[in-house]
Amino acid sequence: MRYNIQNYKFFKSYRFPIHEGDKVNAEVITFERENVKTNNVQIDSINLSGLNFISTQKYSIGENVKIKIQTNRIFNNWDFELTGRIIRSFIYCEDVTKTIYGISISPDSQTTVLKYFLKDFLSHYKTAKLKDKLFQICQNKIKISKDDGVELFSLFQSLIERAFKGKLTTILSELPTIFHCENYHIYLFNSKTKDFEVDHTNSDHTLLGKTFNGLLNEAYFNKVIINKSFNDQSATGVDFDIKNILLAPLVNYNGESIGALCLSNTLSGDKFNITMLENIKIVSGLISYFYNSKNNSGLETVKNKLPNHYIFSDRSHTGLAIINTLNTIKNTRENLYIHGEAGVGKLEYAKYVCSENSLIIDFEESENQSFEFIEQVSNNGINDLIVKNIEKLSLENQAIFYNLISSLKLRIITIASNDLKALEKNDYILTDLYNHITTVKLNIPPLRLRRAEIVEIAQYYIQFECKKRDMENKKISQETINKLESAKWDINNQELHALIVKAILKLNKKADNSKQVLQIPIKERQSDTIVDSDKNSQLQEYILNTLNSCDKSVAYSKTEKIFVESLMTKKAS
């Protein structure tokens, strides 16, 4: 399978295309077969680690070749050699008698000469064309052409066919080679014991420890990939050397989390790179195939329905991820930390996850009286505790609270509008308390970052309120739709619902109901209060884009990073 993954990595890497007008000629010579030499080979694309060439000559996958590259210009001509191995081939769509071959250039050939050739080659690019290519690289994306479509289909067909015909142990044995790491672990979740169990590994250690279990829970429940390095050995929670880990969830046919794949300790000692992050998505999917018969049958069946006034659309990626996380955590006893801006419905989601025997405590009201919950827990058989404003507790009282909940069999659901992780790093929250209450973390994004759902959510609220008042359902005006989709406002679900109620109450009851269109009074952010639009409209636009991309419940460590990401997104689009 490693050759298929190598093939896919080659496809994903960006190579600069070479056209006929670039006047680059090549000659390919094989090492294994004597007298097999192809002149006037067309180079299709190239970068420091690989190249594509087009030829009528037939070559075998794995064949070692030498490539002589020459340019035919008036000045600054090049003439040098590269060596490499053919790792892929597919039909050239423009001429089916020809084949496109991909060569992985050997490290010995990745010399200064090749670097200077590429630098000289790029210097002949027109500025606009070069910018376009650079922005594609920045986004880690390539445009899928007709040839690329054929290639991608054949890649996945080959990858899936070979993986499914093989054995799980064969795939697992190749993981250290593919990801350049030391160890792998397959963890499966036991729905009866509510713990993770090691199913396959090449290590003598299980990695299961307090800190690692938190990361494992996050990957499992949130269905996210986690890439983390450890500077301090004590931070891992285990008594042996772990430099870094890469975690990916395993899911069955029904989309249920069943476990996680963990890779650890890269050979270089550095964090797993972006290519490995892309590859683990594919590999974890292939490995999941061997566990499709597994399901969490011990869990209760949960209807896929969230609180009425804080809905998410299951047609958006974000909405579906949050729905799945809430429904999964509902069937466990894991502690949950929900954070997000005011008005996104954190308390309603917490109630949805909890059982009927739950208790809400708010430390903002009175931190001393709030410890009286112990008596209520004992007398009323409380199973779940919803905690608000935990950051209001003094460090002394945090220690008391931590000792109390550690001794009780309670599930703690913590909700906060402040970033508790940032508070913990700055010693406003005890580390032991933070680790205890944040087994699973869930961020509820603000409404302005969910553009794919905004209009649908607004229509739901309108339908809900009209039905409650025995009114015909109202349509939203186009002006309101434009305002909603622009997302140049700071309201969330709670405020949007209140504005819709206000708009309905203002309707003319004597007018024809069927023709009335709802105008929602949304107040947009005033740009002239941020920067003088007459002096620098471009700066104003960039600042507004940045504000729209921020989640106020997250404490960003580097504000300039947000600006750079916003600028790059705008430029690339």
Side-chain angles (χ1 to χ4, degrees):
M1 185 181 71
R2 65 177 179 271
Y3 294 115
N4 296 90
I5 294 295
Q6 186 182 26
N7 199 339
Y8 179 70
K9 285 165 61 177
F10 190 96
F11 172 82
K12 288 288 288 184
S13 66
Y14 187 86
R15 294 174 306 283
F16 278 94
I18 294 180
H19 305 289
E20 187 176 349
D22 295 320
K23 298 180 180 180
V24 177
N25 302 318
E27 181 181 289
V28 178
I29 305 169
T30 64
F31 286 111
E32 286 86 354
R33 294 182 290 166
E34 296 181 3
N35 300 322
V36 177
K37 181 170 69 173
T38 309
N39 296 320
N40 297 323
V41 168
Q42 179 184 344
I43 301 293
D44 178 68
S45 57
I46 188 171
N47 62 17
L48 272 175
S49 59
L51 63 85
N52 276 347
F53 72 89
I54 303 169
S55 175
T56 55
Q57 175 67 45
K58 301 303 179 185
Y59 297 92
S60 302
I61 301 298
E63 194 166 5
N64 294 307
V65 296
K66 181 192 296 182
I67 311 101
K68 291 184 177 182
I69 295 179
Q70 299 174 328
T71 58
N72 184 22
R73 302 173 184 160
I74 299 175
F75 302 105
N76 297 332
N77 279 314
W78 291 87
D79 188 347
F80 61 98
E81 291 184 353
L82 302 171
T83 58
R85 174 177 292 183
I86 294 178
I87 61 170
R88 63 180 191 155
S89 65
F90 56 97
I91 299 297
Y92 181 45
C93 288
E94 302 299 327
D95 184 350
V96 294
T97 64
K98 296 180 179 179
T99 305
I100 298 181
Y101 293 96
I103 295 179
S104 177
I105 298 174
S106 62
D108 295 338
S109 289
Q110 296 173 19
T111 60
T112 307
V113 176
L114 178 57
K115 293 178 182 178
Y116 277 118
F117 167 74
L118 290 175
K119 186 177 180 180
D120 178 62
F121 177 74
L122 292 179
S123 68
H124 291 80
Y125 263 61
K126 291 182 179 179
T127 304
K129 186 178 178 182
L130 183 59
K131 283 184 177 180
D132 179 62
K133 300 301 179 187
L134 287 174
F135 285 130
Q136 287 186 47
I137 296 171
C138 290
Q139 297 176 91
N140 193 35
K141 293 180 180 179
I142 58 175
K143 294 180 180 179
I144 303 297
S145 65
K146 185 166 53 176
D147 284 327
D148 292 330
V150 173
E151 178 186 3
L152 190 58
F153 176 79
S154 62
L155 279 176
F156 279 112
Q157 184 185 39
S158 174
L159 184 64
I160 293 170
E161 184 179 2
R162 293 191 183 187
F164 290 178
K165 283 183 178 179
K167 296 181 179 179
L168 176 61
T169 52
T170 304
I171 295 176
L172 295 179
S173 66
E174 295 182 16
L175 291 181
T177 304
I178 294 171
F179 291 92
H180 306 294
C181 65
E182 294 177 1
N183 304 121
Y184 67 82
H185 292 76
I186 298 288
Y187 296 97
L188 297 180
F189 185 74
N190 188 320
S191 58
K192 294 181 180 179
T193 63
K194 309 298 183 186
D195 289 323
F196 288 96
E197 300 171 351
V198 178
D199 189 65
H200 285 84
T201 184
N202 66 338
S203 171
D204 296 330
H205 304 285
T206 64
L207 293 186
L208 293 174
K210 189 172 183 180
T211 302
F212 177 75
N213 277 12
L215 297 172
L216 193 57
N217 279 313
E218 188 174 350
Y220 174 80
F221 289 112
N222 290 355
K223 295 182 183 176
V224 294
I225 292 174
I226 295 176
N227 184 18
K228 188 172 181 64
S229 58
F230 302 98
N231 297 323
D232 184 6
Q233 181 57 39
S234 61
T236 63
V238 294
D239 57 359
F240 51 92
D241 187 28
I242 294 293
K243 297 187 287 288
N244 42 59
I245 61 169
L246 182 60
L247 279 164
L250 301 176
V251 298
N252 61 16
Y253 273 138
N254 297 322
E256 300 170 335
S257 291
I258 55 175
L261 164 65
C262 175
L263 304 171
S264 58
N265 289 351
T266 57
L267 299 179
S268 64
D270 299 326
K271 210 172 182 180
F272 288 90
N273 60 38
I274 191 169
T275 303
M276 295 175 182
L277 290 176
E278 291 291 330
N279 291 342
I280 202 170
K281 295 176 185 178
I282 298 175
V283 172
S284 61
L286 294 173
I287 292 174
S288 295
Y289 165 79
F290 294 93
Y291 293 99
N292 272 325
S293 58
K294 179 177 175 57
N295 58 69
N296 294 328
S297 56
L299 302 180
E300 301 172 11
T301 301
V302 182
K303 292 182 179 179
N304 193 24
K305 185 179 179 182
L306 298 184
N308 283 340
H309 301 302
Y310 299 95
I311 62 168
F312 274 89
S313 169
D314 57 7
R315 289 199 292 270
S316 79
H317 177 75
T318 301
L320 192 59
I322 290 178
I323 289 170
N324 288 336
T325 299
L326 289 171
N327 284 334
T328 302
I329 198 70
K330 187 178 178 72
N331 294 302
T332 71
R333 297 297 301 161
E334 301 292 342
N335 293 336
L336 175 64
Y337 163 43
I338 305 175
H339 68 103
E341 293 182 6
V344 295
K346 299 183 293 295
L347 180 59
E348 295 304 318
Y349 293 129
K351 290 178 181 177
Y352 172 74
V353 166
C354 292
S355 62
E356 294 181 358
N357 294 328
S358 61
L359 178 68
I360 302 173
I361 58 172
D362 189 346
F363 287 119
E364 188 172 39
E365 296 173 356
S366 174
E367 69 173 54
N368 293 321
Q369 291 182 5
S370 295
F371 286 115
E372 296 176 359
F373 75 88
I374 299 298
E375 185 177 344
Q376 297 184 53
V377 169
S378 303
N379 296 337
N380 301 324
I382 301 298
N383 296 320
D384 299 314
L385 195 64
I386 300 175
V387 181
K388 298 174 63 178
N389 296 302
I390 195 170
E391 69 275 14
K392 301 293 183 179
L393 282 175
S394 65
L395 292 177
E396 182 182 355
N397 282 337
Q398 285 181 35
I400 296 172
F401 180 65
Y402 171 68
N403 291 329
L404 285 173
I405 60 177
S406 298
S407 61
L408 298 171
K409 292 184 178 180
L410 286 173
R411 178 169 63 171
I412 310 298
I413 309 295
T414 307
I415 59 176
S417 296
N418 294 316
D419 192 336
L420 296 188
K421 181 61 180 177
L423 293 175
E424 184 266 334
K425 282 187 175 181
N426 290 287
D427 299 325
Y428 291 104
I429 297 285
L430 294 177
T431 300
D432 285 343
L433 176 60
Y434 175 80
N435 290 335
H436 184 78
I437 64 178
T438 59
T439 305
V440 180
K441 306 179 189 70
L442 178 62
N443 170 249
I444 307 297
L447 199 58
R448 64 184 173 277
L449 298 186
R450 294 155 52 192
R451 297 192 183 197
E453 304 175 61
I454 291 173
V455 175
E456 183 180 350
I457 290 173
Q459 289 172 336
Y460 173 85
Y461 291 154
I462 293 169
Q463 184 180 6
F464 178 86
E465 292 300 328
C466 288
K467 185 176 180 180
K468 189 166 68 173
R469 292 169 172 76
D470 290 327
M471 298 171 61
E472 289 186 19
N473 193 34
K474 306 300 178 187
K475 293 182 179 180
I476 309 176
S477 69
Q478 188 58 49
E479 180 185 353
T480 299
I481 291 175
N482 294 339
K483 282 186 178 181
L484 287 171
E485 291 180 340
S486 71
K488 294 179 180 178
W489 33 261
D490 295 315
I491 63 174
N492 279 310
N493 298 62
Q494 192 173 8
E495 295 92 333
L496 177 61
H497 190 194
L499 288 174
I500 287 173
V501 171
K502 185 177 180 180
I504 290 176
L505 292 175
K506 283 187 173 182
L507 287 174
N508 186 354
K509 295 181 180 180
K510 296 181 180 180
D512 185 355
N513 285 335
S514 61
K515 294 182 180 179
Q516 284 186 315
V517 179
L518 205 62
Q519 296 277 2
I520 304 174
I522 298 174
K523 187 177 180 180
E524 294 187 328
R525 190 185 296 111
Q526 295 297 316
S527 59
D528 55 1
T529 62
I530 301 171
V531 64
D532 189 342
S533 59
D534 294 332
K535 291 183 178 179
N536 199 329
S537 60
Q538 191 175 34
L539 176 61
Q540 169 198 319
E541 189 176 356
Y542 288 160
I543 292 175
L544 286 174
N545 287 338
T546 302
L547 290 173
N548 285 337
S549 68
C550 289
D551 183 338
K552 295 177 183 177
S553 68
V554 178
Y556 295 101
S557 58
K558 294 183 179 180
T559 308
E560 65 269 20
K561 182 179 178 183
I562 308 169
F563 275 91
V564 171
E565 290 176 351
S566 178
L567 294 178
M568 289 305 297
T569 301
K570 177 173 178 57
K571 287 284 189 181
S573 62

